[in-house]
Amino acid sequence: EAQVTQNPRYLITVTGKKLTVTCSQNMNHEYMSWYRQDPGLGLRQIYYSMNVEVTDKGDVPEGYKVSRKEKRNFPLILESPSPNQTSLYFCASSLKAGVPGELFFGEGSRLTVL
Amino acid sequence: AQSVTQLGSHVSVSEGALVLLRCNYSSSVPPYLFWYVQYPNQGLQLLLKYTSAATLVKGINGFEAEFKKSETSFHLTKPSAHMSDAAEYFCAVSVPNTNAGKSTFGDGTTLTVKP
C-alpha cells in the first residue's frame, strides 16, 4: 500500500529535550516536505527536499533541522524544542520536484512541548 | 508570490443542502489548484485538482470545483451534503517551476453538516 508513515503520532516532551520525528514514504517520490498545522493558520511549510541530499528552508524553518540521506526518509529534528513548537506536524511527499502534483500526507504527529 | 484565501473559516449546512466553500488565489502565472480534505485525526487527502485542462473539475465523493480566471476563484461545491462530508477543507495553489513546485495552503474551512 502506498503510504507516508510518521512516528511518533503523539509525543509530550519538555523544553530543550532533543527529539526526532521520522517520516518514510514507499512511493519512490522525489519531493518531500514538512508542514506544521496550527488553528486558524492552515499548513505552513517548514522544510522541503527536492531529492537526496538536497534540502531547503520553507516558510517557518527556525528551530528545526532536516536531513535526506535516503530517498524514502526525511526526518524532522528539533534540537532544543520550545513551547511555541507545540503543534501538529505533517510529512508529505510528491512524485516530482518542481512539478506541482498531488501531495501524499502522513497521518500527522501531535507534539506538545511543556 | 502565490497565495490563497479561503472565505469563511466555518461553514454549516443541513444534510441534503448545497455545499459551497470559497477559495480565491493570487498568482502571477497560471497556477495549479488543489482542494484537500482532512477528516478528524487524519492527514490531508486530495479531493480534486486543476492543472490547466478543463475548467470544471470533478473529484471524489461528488465534489467539483470550477476554475474562473477572471474572478481568480476555485470554489468547491457539492449539490447535496452528507453527514460524512463533515471535515476541514483546504485549498492550495502551486506554480510550475517556482519554489520547487511548492503548494501554498489556505487557512482551511471547517464544514459542519447538521442532520
Side-chain angles (χ1 to χ4, degrees), chain B residues 9-48:
Chain B
S9 57
H10 291 85
V11 171
S12 181
V13 301
S14 297
E15 191 172 20
L18 171 73
V19 176
L20 170 61
L21 304 182
R22 301 177 186 273
C23 173
N24 287 90
Y25 70 90
S26 173
S27 173
S28 57
V29 298
Y32 288 21
L33 292 159
F34 306 83
W35 275 101
Y36 289 86
V37 60
Q38 182 183 27
Y39 298 105
N41 299 315
Q42 294 185 26
L44 283 72
Q45 56 184 280
L46 184 71
L47 267 180
L48 50 80

mmCIF file of all heavy atoms in Angstrom, chain B residues 9-48:
data_model
loop_
_atom_site.group_PDB
_atom_site.id
_atom_site.type_symbol
_atom_site.label_atom_id
_atom_site.label_comp_id
_atom_site.label_asym_id
_atom_site.label_seq_id
_atom_site.Cartn_x
_atom_site.Cartn_y
_atom_site.Cartn_z
ATOM 1 N N SER B 9 -14.096 30.635 7.794
ATOM 2 C CA SER B 9 -13.348 29.565 8.459
ATOM 3 C C SER B 9 -14.284 28.436 8.901
ATOM 4 O O SER B 9 -13.830 27.326 9.138
ATOM 5 C CB SER B 9 -12.601 30.119 9.673
ATOM 6 O OG SER B 9 -13.501 30.730 10.571
ATOM 7 N N HIS B 10 -15.580 28.746 9.013
ATOM 8 C CA HIS B 10 -16.569 27.743 9.379
ATOM 9 C C HIS B 10 -17.787 27.897 8.487
ATOM 10 O O HIS B 10 -18.299 29.000 8.299
ATOM 11 C CB HIS B 10 -16.990 27.895 10.849
ATOM 12 C CG HIS B 10 -15.917 27.540 11.821
ATOM 13 N ND1 HIS B 10 -14.960 28.431 12.229
ATOM 14 C CD2 HIS B 10 -15.633 26.372 12.452
ATOM 15 C CE1 HIS B 10 -14.143 27.834 13.081
ATOM 16 N NE2 HIS B 10 -14.524 26.586 13.233
ATOM 17 N N VAL B 11 -18.245 26.781 7.947
ATOM 18 C CA VAL B 11 -19.462 26.752 7.148
ATOM 19 C C VAL B 11 -20.346 25.630 7.687
ATOM 20 O O VAL B 11 -19.866 24.521 7.932
ATOM 21 C CB VAL B 11 -19.143 26.503 5.660
ATOM 22 C CG1 VAL B 11 -20.425 26.242 4.869
ATOM 23 C CG2 VAL B 11 -18.391 27.688 5.062
ATOM 24 N N SER B 12 -21.611 25.948 7.878
ATOM 25 C CA SER B 12 -22.561 24.964 8.389
ATOM 26 C C SER B 12 -23.717 24.821 7.411
ATOM 27 O O SER B 12 -24.285 25.829 6.973
ATOM 28 C CB SER B 12 -23.089 25.399 9.760
ATOM 29 O OG SER B 12 -24.001 24.435 10.267
ATOM 30 N N VAL B 13 -24.035 23.597 7.039
ATOM 31 C CA VAL B 13 -25.155 23.336 6.133
ATOM 32 C C VAL B 13 -25.991 22.195 6.701
ATOM 33 O O VAL B 13 -25.511 21.399 7.528
ATOM 34 C CB VAL B 13 -24.680 22.965 4.710
ATOM 35 C CG1 VAL B 13 -23.837 24.091 4.118
ATOM 36 C CG2 VAL B 13 -23.900 21.656 4.711
ATOM 37 N N SER B 14 -27.199 22.095 6.217
ATOM 38 C CA SER B 14 -28.054 20.967 6.581
ATOM 39 C C SER B 14 -27.804 19.802 5.646
ATOM 40 O O SER B 14 -27.404 19.997 4.488
ATOM 41 C CB SER B 14 -29.532 21.366 6.526
ATOM 42 O OG SER B 14 -29.819 22.383 7.460
ATOM 43 N N GLU B 15 -28.006 18.601 6.122
ATOM 44 C CA GLU B 15 -27.863 17.423 5.273
ATOM 45 C C GLU B 15 -28.792 17.568 4.070
ATOM 46 O O GLU B 15 -29.966 17.934 4.208
ATOM 47 C CB GLU B 15 -28.208 16.168 6.063
ATOM 48 C CG GLU B 15 -27.844 14.877 5.356
ATOM 49 C CD GLU B 15 -28.028 13.665 6.252
ATOM 50 O OE1 GLU B 15 -28.763 13.765 7.249
ATOM 51 O OE2 GLU B 15 -27.434 12.622 5.948
ATOM 52 N N GLY B 16 -28.249 17.313 2.874
ATOM 53 C CA GLY B 16 -29.017 17.442 1.643
ATOM 54 C C GLY B 16 -28.911 18.805 0.982
ATOM 55 O O GLY B 16 -29.330 18.975 -0.164
ATOM 56 N N ALA B 17 -28.366 19.782 1.674
ATOM 57 C CA ALA B 17 -28.226 21.132 1.123
ATOM 58 C C ALA B 17 -26.949 21.252 0.308
ATOM 59 O O ALA B 17 -26.039 20.430 0.402
ATOM 60 C CB ALA B 17 -28.241 22.160 2.242
ATOM 61 N N LEU B 18 -26.918 22.332 -0.485
ATOM 62 C CA LEU B 18 -25.739 22.622 -1.295
ATOM 63 C C LEU B 18 -24.560 22.999 -0.401
ATOM 64 O O LEU B 18 -24.691 23.765 0.552
ATOM 65 C CB LEU B 18 -26.046 23.774 -2.245
ATOM 66 C CG LEU B 18 -24.873 24.364 -3.017
ATOM 67 C CD1 LEU B 18 -24.420 23.395 -4.112
ATOM 68 C CD2 LEU B 18 -25.238 25.718 -3.613
ATOM 69 N N VAL B 19 -23.396 22.468 -0.769
ATOM 70 C CA VAL B 19 -22.157 22.865 -0.111
ATOM 71 C C VAL B 19 -21.389 23.795 -1.039
ATOM 72 O O VAL B 19 -21.202 23.490 -2.229
ATOM 73 C CB VAL B 19 -21.266 21.638 0.202
ATOM 74 C CG1 VAL B 19 -19.929 22.086 0.789
ATOM 75 C CG2 VAL B 19 -21.971 20.688 1.163
ATOM 76 N N LEU B 20 -20.972 24.953 -0.520
ATOM 77 C CA LEU B 20 -20.160 25.888 -1.279
ATOM 78 C C LEU B 20 -19.042 26.378 -0.373
ATOM 79 O O LEU B 20 -19.295 27.058 0.626
ATOM 80 C CB LEU B 20 -20.985 27.069 -1.773
ATOM 81 C CG LEU B 20 -20.209 28.243 -2.392
ATOM 82 C CD1 LEU B 20 -19.430 27.790 -3.620
ATOM 83 C CD2 LEU B 20 -21.147 29.400 -2.740
ATOM 84 N N LEU B 21 -17.807 26.036 -0.719
ATOM 85 C CA LEU B 21 -16.641 26.503 0.022
ATOM 86 C C LEU B 21 -15.823 27.364 -0.926
ATOM 87 O O LEU B 21 -15.476 26.938 -2.015
ATOM 88 C CB LEU B 21 -15.811 25.315 0.527
ATOM 89 C CG LEU B 21 -16.550 24.291 1.388
ATOM 90 C CD1 LEU B 21 -15.590 23.205 1.847
ATOM 91 C CD2 LEU B 21 -17.236 24.948 2.561
ATOM 92 N N ARG B 22 -15.491 28.560 -0.458
ATOM 93 C CA ARG B 22 -14.896 29.553 -1.352
ATOM 94 C C ARG B 22 -13.368 29.611 -1.233
ATOM 95 O O ARG B 22 -12.818 29.551 -0.127
ATOM 96 C CB ARG B 22 -15.476 30.937 -1.055
ATOM 97 C CG ARG B 22 -16.983 31.011 -1.224
ATOM 98 C CD ARG B 22 -17.523 32.377 -0.841
ATOM 99 N NE ARG B 22 -18.977 32.405 -0.863
ATOM 100 C CZ ARG B 22 -19.693 32.659 -1.950
ATOM 101 N NH1 ARG B 22 -19.099 32.921 -3.099
ATOM 102 N NH2 ARG B 22 -21.023 32.654 -1.880
ATOM 103 N N CYS B 23 -12.741 29.771 -2.396
ATOM 104 C CA CYS B 23 -11.289 29.883 -2.468
ATOM 105 C C CYS B 23 -10.925 30.878 -3.553
ATOM 106 O O CYS B 23 -11.380 30.750 -4.695
ATOM 107 C CB CYS B 23 -10.663 28.527 -2.771
ATOM 108 S SG CYS B 23 -8.880 28.571 -3.088
ATOM 109 N N ASN B 24 -10.124 31.863 -3.189
ATOM 110 C CA ASN B 24 -9.568 32.796 -4.172
ATOM 111 C C ASN B 24 -8.059 32.706 -4.106
ATOM 112 O O ASN B 24 -7.474 32.559 -3.036
ATOM 113 C CB ASN B 24 -10.030 34.220 -3.887
ATOM 114 C CG ASN B 24 -11.491 34.421 -4.236
ATOM 115 O OD1 ASN B 24 -12.373 34.219 -3.405
ATOM 116 N ND2 ASN B 24 -11.737 34.788 -5.477
ATOM 117 N N TYR B 25 -7.426 32.814 -5.249
ATOM 118 C CA TYR B 25 -5.981 32.661 -5.305
ATOM 119 C C TYR B 25 -5.327 33.898 -5.877
ATOM 120 O O TYR B 25 -5.972 34.730 -6.530
ATOM 121 C CB TYR B 25 -5.607 31.438 -6.153
ATOM 122 C CG TYR B 25 -5.892 31.641 -7.623
ATOM 123 C CD1 TYR B 25 -4.939 32.180 -8.477
ATOM 124 C CD2 TYR B 25 -7.136 31.335 -8.152
ATOM 125 C CE1 TYR B 25 -5.202 32.402 -9.816
ATOM 126 C CE2 TYR B 25 -7.419 31.550 -9.488
ATOM 127 C CZ TYR B 25 -6.452 32.083 -10.313
ATOM 128 O OH TYR B 25 -6.738 32.310 -11.639
ATOM 129 N N SER B 26 -4.045 33.999 -5.639
ATOM 130 C CA SER B 26 -3.241 35.061 -6.238
ATOM 131 C C SER B 26 -1.991 34.417 -6.808
ATOM 132 O O SER B 26 -1.287 33.682 -6.108
ATOM 133 C CB SER B 26 -2.863 36.107 -5.189
ATOM 134 O OG SER B 26 -1.961 37.047 -5.738
ATOM 135 N N SER B 27 -1.752 34.661 -8.095
ATOM 136 C CA SER B 27 -0.574 34.106 -8.739
ATOM 137 C C SER B 27 -0.277 34.938 -9.984
ATOM 138 O O SER B 27 -1.183 35.309 -10.721
ATOM 139 C CB SER B 27 -0.811 32.646 -9.128
ATOM 140 O OG SER B 27 0.265 32.136 -9.891
ATOM 141 N N SER B 28 0.989 35.171 -10.229
ATOM 142 C CA SER B 28 1.373 35.987 -11.378
ATOM 143 C C SER B 28 1.399 35.182 -12.670
ATOM 144 O O SER B 28 1.432 35.747 -13.756
ATOM 145 C CB SER B 28 2.742 36.619 -11.134
ATOM 146 O OG SER B 28 3.697 35.616 -10.871
ATOM 147 N N VAL B 29 1.372 33.873 -12.549
ATOM 148 C CA VAL B 29 1.353 32.991 -13.712
ATOM 149 C C VAL B 29 0.260 31.952 -13.508
ATOM 150 O O VAL B 29 -0.220 31.769 -12.394
ATOM 151 C CB VAL B 29 2.719 32.299 -13.918
ATOM 152 C CG1 VAL B 29 3.804 33.329 -14.192
ATOM 153 C CG2 VAL B 29 3.071 31.446 -12.712
ATOM 154 N N PRO B 30 -0.157 31.294 -14.584
ATOM 155 C CA PRO B 30 -1.224 30.290 -14.433
ATOM 156 C C PRO B 30 -0.863 29.252 -13.388
ATOM 157 O O PRO B 30 0.192 28.614 -13.462
ATOM 158 C CB PRO B 30 -1.302 29.684 -15.836
ATOM 159 C CG PRO B 30 -0.846 30.777 -16.738
ATOM 160 C CD PRO B 30 0.237 31.493 -15.988
ATOM 161 N N PRO B 31 -1.744 29.086 -12.432
ATOM 162 C CA PRO B 31 -1.422 28.176 -11.329
ATOM 163 C C PRO B 31 -2.037 26.794 -11.498
ATOM 164 O O PRO B 31 -2.903 26.580 -12.346
ATOM 165 C CB PRO B 31 -2.069 28.884 -10.143
ATOM 166 C CG PRO B 31 -3.333 29.447 -10.745
ATOM 167 C CD PRO B 31 -2.975 29.834 -12.175
ATOM 168 N N TYR B 32 -1.573 25.887 -10.673
ATOM 169 C CA TYR B 32 -2.288 24.643 -10.436
ATOM 170 C C TYR B 32 -3.026 24.844 -9.105
ATOM 171 O O TYR B 32 -2.481 25.447 -8.177
ATOM 172 C CB TYR B 32 -1.331 23.457 -10.301
ATOM 173 C CG TYR B 32 -0.676 23.004 -11.583
ATOM 174 C CD1 TYR B 32 -0.565 23.826 -12.696
ATOM 175 C CD2 TYR B 32 -0.146 21.725 -11.679
ATOM 176 C CE1 TYR B 32 0.048 23.389 -13.849
ATOM 177 C CE2 TYR B 32 0.467 21.276 -12.835
ATOM 178 C CZ TYR B 32 0.574 22.113 -13.918
ATOM 179 O OH TYR B 32 1.180 21.664 -15.064
ATOM 180 N N LEU B 33 -4.230 24.307 -9.013
ATOM 181 C CA LEU B 33 -5.037 24.497 -7.815
ATOM 182 C C LEU B 33 -5.546 23.154 -7.305
ATOM 183 O O LEU B 33 -5.864 22.255 -8.095
ATOM 184 C CB LEU B 33 -6.222 25.424 -8.115
ATOM 185 C CG LEU B 33 -5.827 26.873 -8.419
ATOM 186 C CD1 LEU B 33 -6.923 27.581 -9.190
ATOM 187 C CD2 LEU B 33 -5.504 27.622 -7.135
ATOM 188 N N PHE B 34 -5.631 23.038 -6.002
ATOM 189 C CA PHE B 34 -5.997 21.776 -5.365
ATOM 190 C C PHE B 34 -6.996 22.036 -4.233
ATOM 191 O O PHE B 34 -6.962 23.086 -3.580
ATOM 192 C CB PHE B 34 -4.762 21.099 -4.753
ATOM 193 C CG PHE B 34 -3.621 20.889 -5.702
ATOM 194 C CD1 PHE B 34 -2.723 21.912 -5.968
ATOM 195 C CD2 PHE B 34 -3.438 19.662 -6.309
ATOM 196 C CE1 PHE B 34 -1.660 21.722 -6.833
ATOM 197 C CE2 PHE B 34 -2.367 19.458 -7.174
ATOM 198 C CZ PHE B 34 -1.482 20.491 -7.437
ATOM 199 N N TRP B 35 -7.848 21.064 -4.005
ATOM 200 C CA TRP B 35 -8.640 21.000 -2.782
ATOM 201 C C TRP B 35 -8.299 19.692 -2.073
ATOM 202 O O TRP B 35 -8.294 18.625 -2.685
ATOM 203 C CB TRP B 35 -10.143 21.037 -3.072
ATOM 204 C CG TRP B 35 -10.709 22.409 -3.219
ATOM 205 C CD1 TRP B 35 -11.014 23.059 -4.383
ATOM 206 C CD2 TRP B 35 -11.087 23.301 -2.168
ATOM 207 N NE1 TRP B 35 -11.545 24.290 -4.115
ATOM 208 C CE2 TRP B 35 -11.604 24.460 -2.771
ATOM 209 C CE3 TRP B 35 -11.054 23.227 -0.774
ATOM 210 C CZ2 TRP B 35 -12.078 25.548 -2.018
ATOM 211 C CZ3 TRP B 35 -11.522 24.299 -0.036
ATOM 212 C CH2 TRP B 35 -12.027 25.440 -0.658
ATOM 213 N N TYR B 36 -8.006 19.835 -0.769
ATOM 214 C CA TYR B 36 -7.743 18.682 0.078
ATOM 215 C C TYR B 36 -8.788 18.635 1.188
ATOM 216 O O TYR B 36 -9.303 19.661 1.626
ATOM 217 C CB TYR B 36 -6.357 18.783 0.724
ATOM 218 C CG TYR B 36 -5.200 18.602 -0.215
ATOM 219 C CD1 TYR B 36 -4.684 19.678 -0.935
ATOM 220 C CD2 TYR B 36 -4.584 17.358 -0.373
ATOM 221 C CE1 TYR B 36 -3.598 19.512 -1.783
ATOM 222 C CE2 TYR B 36 -3.501 17.182 -1.224
ATOM 223 C CZ TYR B 36 -3.016 18.266 -1.926
ATOM 224 O OH TYR B 36 -1.945 18.094 -2.776
ATOM 225 N N VAL B 37 -9.041 17.425 1.696
ATOM 226 C CA VAL B 37 -9.956 17.253 2.818
ATOM 227 C C VAL B 37 -9.200 16.580 3.962
ATOM 228 O O VAL B 37 -8.343 15.718 3.725
ATOM 229 C CB VAL B 37 -11.196 16.423 2.419
ATOM 230 C CG1 VAL B 37 -10.830 15.032 1.944
ATOM 231 C CG2 VAL B 37 -12.181 16.338 3.588
ATOM 232 N N GLN B 38 -9.501 17.017 5.171
ATOM 233 C CA GLN B 38 -8.884 16.428 6.351
ATOM 234 C C GLN B 38 -9.974 15.990 7.317
ATOM 235 O O GLN B 38 -10.684 16.823 7.881
ATOM 236 C CB GLN B 38 -7.953 17.427 7.038
ATOM 237 C CG GLN B 38 -7.240 16.852 8.243
ATOM 238 C CD GLN B 38 -6.368 17.884 8.953
ATOM 239 O OE1 GLN B 38 -6.619 19.083 8.903
ATOM 240 N NE2 GLN B 38 -5.308 17.421 9.596
ATOM 241 N N TYR B 39 -10.104 14.694 7.499
ATOM 242 C CA TYR B 39 -11.034 14.159 8.487
ATOM 243 C C TYR B 39 -10.347 14.134 9.851
ATOM 244 O O TYR B 39 -9.103 14.132 9.933
ATOM 245 C CB TYR B 39 -11.503 12.760 8.084
ATOM 246 C CG TYR B 39 -12.247 12.750 6.775
ATOM 247 C CD1 TYR B 39 -11.655 12.263 5.617
ATOM 248 C CD2 TYR B 39 -13.540 13.260 6.683
ATOM 249 C CE1 TYR B 39 -12.325 12.265 4.414
ATOM 250 C CE2 TYR B 39 -14.216 13.281 5.473
ATOM 251 C CZ TYR B 39 -13.597 12.779 4.343
ATOM 252 O OH TYR B 39 -14.256 12.806 3.154
ATOM 253 N N PRO B 40 -11.108 14.129 10.923
ATOM 254 C CA PRO B 40 -10.510 14.179 12.266
ATOM 255 C C PRO B 40 -9.435 13.127 12.470
ATOM 256 O O PRO B 40 -9.609 11.957 12.102
ATOM 257 C CB PRO B 40 -11.721 13.943 13.176
ATOM 258 C CG PRO B 40 -12.873 14.470 12.410
ATOM 259 C CD PRO B 40 -12.580 14.151 10.972
ATOM 260 N N ASN B 41 -8.319 13.570 13.027
ATOM 261 C CA ASN B 41 -7.198 12.687 13.361
ATOM 262 C C ASN B 41 -6.579 11.986 12.150
ATOM 263 O O ASN B 41 -6.022 10.887 12.283
ATOM 264 C CB ASN B 41 -7.629 11.640 14.398
ATOM 265 C CG ASN B 41 -8.075 12.278 15.688
ATOM 266 O OD1 ASN B 41 -7.432 13.194 16.201
ATOM 267 N ND2 ASN B 41 -9.201 11.836 16.204
ATOM 268 N N GLN B 42 -6.713 12.614 11.009
ATOM 269 C CA GLN B 42 -6.102 12.054 9.807
ATOM 270 C C GLN B 42 -5.291 13.112 9.075
ATOM 271 O O GLN B 42 -5.417 14.308 9.345
ATOM 272 C CB GLN B 42 -7.172 11.492 8.873
ATOM 273 C CG GLN B 42 -7.917 10.295 9.432
ATOM 274 C CD GLN B 42 -8.873 9.701 8.418
ATOM 275 O OE1 GLN B 42 -8.682 9.834 7.202
ATOM 276 N NE2 GLN B 42 -9.907 9.037 8.907
ATOM 277 N N GLY B 43 -4.491 12.642 8.140
ATOM 278 C CA GLY B 43 -3.784 13.569 7.278
ATOM 279 C C GLY B 43 -4.691 14.083 6.173
ATOM 280 O O GLY B 43 -5.860 13.707 6.087
ATOM 281 N N LEU B 44 -4.174 14.960 5.346
ATOM 282 C CA LEU B 44 -4.948 15.507 4.237
ATOM 283 C C LEU B 44 -4.944 14.530 3.073
ATOM 284 O O LEU B 44 -3.963 13.829 2.840
ATOM 285 C CB LEU B 44 -4.343 16.832 3.764
ATOM 286 C CG LEU B 44 -4.594 18.069 4.611
ATOM 287 C CD1 LEU B 44 -3.819 18.040 5.916
ATOM 288 C CD2 LEU B 44 -4.234 19.324 3.801
ATOM 289 N N GLN B 45 -6.042 14.517 2.342
ATOM 290 C CA GLN B 45 -6.113 13.707 1.128
ATOM 291 C C GLN B 45 -6.721 14.549 0.011
ATOM 292 O O GLN B 45 -7.566 15.409 0.246
ATOM 293 C CB GLN B 45 -6.920 12.425 1.349
ATOM 294 C CG GLN B 45 -8.308 12.616 1.860
ATOM 295 C CD GLN B 45 -8.987 11.284 2.124
ATOM 296 O OE1 GLN B 45 -9.475 10.631 1.217
ATOM 297 N NE2 GLN B 45 -9.009 10.865 3.375
ATOM 298 N N LEU B 46 -6.275 14.270 -1.197
ATOM 299 C CA LEU B 46 -6.690 15.079 -2.336
ATOM 300 C C LEU B 46 -8.150 14.823 -2.696
ATOM 301 O O LEU B 46 -8.575 13.677 -2.829
ATOM 302 C CB LEU B 46 -5.803 14.755 -3.540
ATOM 303 C CG LEU B 46 -6.051 15.584 -4.783
ATOM 304 C CD1 LEU B 46 -5.554 17.026 -4.553
ATOM 305 C CD2 LEU B 46 -5.345 14.980 -5.993
ATOM 306 N N LEU B 47 -8.905 15.920 -2.877
ATOM 307 C CA LEU B 47 -10.277 15.838 -3.379
ATOM 308 C C LEU B 47 -10.297 15.985 -4.893
ATOM 309 O O LEU B 47 -10.951 15.224 -5.598
ATOM 310 C CB LEU B 47 -11.124 16.964 -2.786
ATOM 311 C CG LEU B 47 -11.922 16.719 -1.510
ATOM 312 C CD1 LEU B 47 -12.672 17.996 -1.156
ATOM 313 C CD2 LEU B 47 -12.889 15.563 -1.680
ATOM 314 N N LEU B 48 -9.600 17.023 -5.366
ATOM 315 C CA LEU B 48 -9.552 17.282 -6.802
ATOM 316 C C LEU B 48 -8.439 18.275 -7.097
ATOM 317 O O LEU B 48 -7.912 18.910 -6.176
ATOM 318 C CB LEU B 48 -10.901 17.821 -7.305
ATOM 319 C CG LEU B 48 -11.546 18.985 -6.559
ATOM 320 C CD1 LEU B 48 -10.946 20.309 -6.939
ATOM 321 C CD2 LEU B 48 -13.060 19.014 -6.814
#
